Amino acid sequence: MAGPLSAEEVAAYDRDGFVIVRNFFPAEVVESVRQGLTEVMEDQIDRINAETPGALPDKAEGSPFETRFMDVFSTLVKTDPSRVPLAFRPELQKAQLYSILYNQKLLDAVQQLLPSVSELRLFPNYTSRPKLPQFEPHRVVWHQDAGLDHRGAPNSQPVDARLDAFGRDAMVNVWTGFVPVGRKEGCMLMIPGTQRLGCVEHTLQGLARDPGAADVKAVPDTMADNANVEEYSKKYQEKTTFTTSIRPDIVEAQLGEKEAVPIETNPGDVVLFQNLTFHCGTTNTSEVVRWSLDWRYQDATKPTHRPPQGHIVRSATAPDKVIASAEAWAAAPFQ
């Protein structure tokens, strides 16, 4: 199928499980999203100050996009890190995000990779991450997205069901950054070819957020299996999220055979990768916030294996189901 990706880029996606496409988004799309993320940040500042007056006394309105989140939240990082936002999802129902999530050039590229799919959904996990310097909760361990459930715990769905819903011919993952991202800024690492291993075993590593606690906590000894994950999730009414990684010996075996590739990008570049590709996020050791956006497109005939069902972004059979404007996107719920 013809489209914006070259034959070499499609081949790299199939061979390595990922491809970096340079200068994909125009500057106006990048700037629109940066404005939207600035609004998201300002909404969070107002929310926290409404809950605790004076918690964030300096909105740092004179700071540049690259450092403002850090300048605002630096005090809470030290005094109450549990209140520092790790990621944004429902908050992304902003008009400025429509230009990238419903980007027609991007959807053409996705359909090059999923040529038999007639209806695409925006999978319900579109997420922006403001990765702070030297902030451990923002580190992302080695994983496959198909290895995690919607809380970040090990996915207990049957492997065949996950391969059908999230495999090579059903889903494309997308990632882009809004500042230059290299090793210093905590870029992702990917291990090429690992998508061909299928769904590998994942193990629980820790709690990404434990409500009521002042910091990120390790997994208690009593949480050695998924039954205890379910107990914890029920106790905190789905507010707890988990840190889950590929079993360490599996990663070590792959790194013994091949080298992890740093995913270094500039604003406007896009990374397309398969849901089964091994990847992780390293620590940000720079002096800027590594703002990024990650999202997925899925064959809409497949199940999401989570409560939300996402939004239709392209349909050959029912185009009226597609959100047709930025204003409609802003008015739509996260689903």
Side-chain angles (χ1 to χ4, degrees):
M1 178 183 288
L5 301 180
S6 68
E8 292 77 16
E9 288 165 338
V10 173
Y13 180 85
D14 282 325
R15 179 188 66 245
D16 299 330
F18 64 90
V19 63
I20 304 172
V21 187
R22 304 294 181 187
N23 301 309
F24 189 87
F25 296 117
E28 56 266 28
V29 169
V30 174
E31 182 55 30
S32 174
V33 177
R34 284 167 61 119
Q35 291 174 5
L37 295 178
T38 297
E39 283 192 13
V40 168
M41 174 176 56
E42 290 174 343
D43 291 345
Q44 293 302 302
I45 296 169
D46 291 343
R47 178 185 63 79
I48 291 172
N49 278 333
E51 292 173 352
T52 308
L56 299 172
D58 184 4
K59 292 187 177 183
E61 292 172 307
S63 295
F65 176 81
E66 292 81 0
T67 64
R68 187 178 174 191
F69 187 88
M70 174 175 57
D71 296 341
V72 171
F73 285 93
S74 58
T75 300
L76 280 186
V77 165
K78 298 173 184 176
T79 62
D80 192 359
S82 68
R83 300 187 70 189
V84 177
L86 300 183
F88 302 111
R89 279 186 180 168
E91 298 87 353
L92 300 183
Q93 304 294 145
K94 295 283 187 184
Q96 298 94 329
L97 274 293
Y98 184 83
S99 64
I100 197 164
L101 298 175
Y102 282 72
N103 186 277
Q104 294 304 304
K105 180 182 175 184
L106 177 60
L107 295 179
D108 288 344
V110 170
Q111 292 219 275
Q112 273 186 273
L113 301 173
L114 304 176
S116 64
V117 174
S118 62
E119 187 167 272
L120 281 173
R121 79 158 51 91
L122 175 62
F123 194 74
N125 79 319
Y126 40 95
T127 307
S128 181
R129 306 175 196 274
K131 180 181 275 194
L132 287 162
Q134 303 292 355
F135 190 53
E136 183 63 16
H138 280 155
R139 185 176 65 87
V140 179
V141 297
W142 284 108
H143 67 286
Q144 297 172 303
D145 288 329
L148 314 180
D149 69 11
H150 66 284
R151 303 155 303 173
N155 197 319
S156 60
Q157 293 290 330
V159 168
D160 287 349
R162 283 184 274 153
L163 290 175
D164 178 65
F166 308 137
R168 163 64 181 85
D169 297 322
M171 179 171 279
V172 174
N173 288 28
V174 186
W175 185 97
T176 193
F178 299 98
V179 298
V181 176
R183 285 184 177 273
K184 195 173 182 181
E185 289 77 23
C187 69
M188 286 193 295
L189 300 177
M190 294 190 179
I191 305 179
T194 47
Q195 79 281 5
R196 291 190 288 272
L197 297 175
C199 294
V200 303
E201 184 179 349
H202 286 62
T203 59
L204 193 64
Q205 299 296 309
L207 303 180
R209 180 74 84 211
D210 187 359
D215 57 5
V216 174
K217 296 179 68 176
V219 179
D221 291 339
T222 56
M223 290 183 62
D225 55 46
N226 277 348
N228 285 309
V229 169
E230 295 300 332
E231 280 183 27
Y232 237 72
S233 219
K234 184 177 180 181
K235 179 179 179 181
Y236 289 115
Q237 301 177 343
E238 293 285 327
K239 293 180 181 178
T240 299
T241 57
F242 300 93
T243 301
T244 298
S245 75
I246 297 168
R247 207 177 70 209
D249 61 296
I250 298 175
V251 176
E252 290 168 10
Q254 290 302 309
L255 290 175
E257 298 175 3
K258 52 191 71 123
E259 188 174 349
V261 176
I263 307 301
E264 299 182 289
T265 63
N266 286 309
D269 297 344
V270 69
V271 184
L272 306 174
F273 62 105
Q274 296 186 38
N275 201 259
L276 297 171
T277 302
F278 290 19
H279 61 289
C280 71
T282 57
T283 300
N284 181 358
T285 61
S286 75
E287 296 181 354
V288 302
V289 179
R290 196 213 73 175
W291 278 99
S292 65
L293 181 67
D294 58 90
W295 67 110
R296 308 171 200 170
Y297 297 106
Q298 184 192 30
D299 179 346
T301 67
K302 305 295 185 182
T304 63
H305 291 294
R306 57 180 65 198
Q309 295 302 299
H311 296 277
I312 300 302
V313 294
R314 181 172 283 185
S315 177
T317 57
D320 57 310
K321 293 196 292 186
V322 177
I323 293 176
S325 70
E327 293 73 23
W329 170 255
F334 177 86
Q335 64 181 39

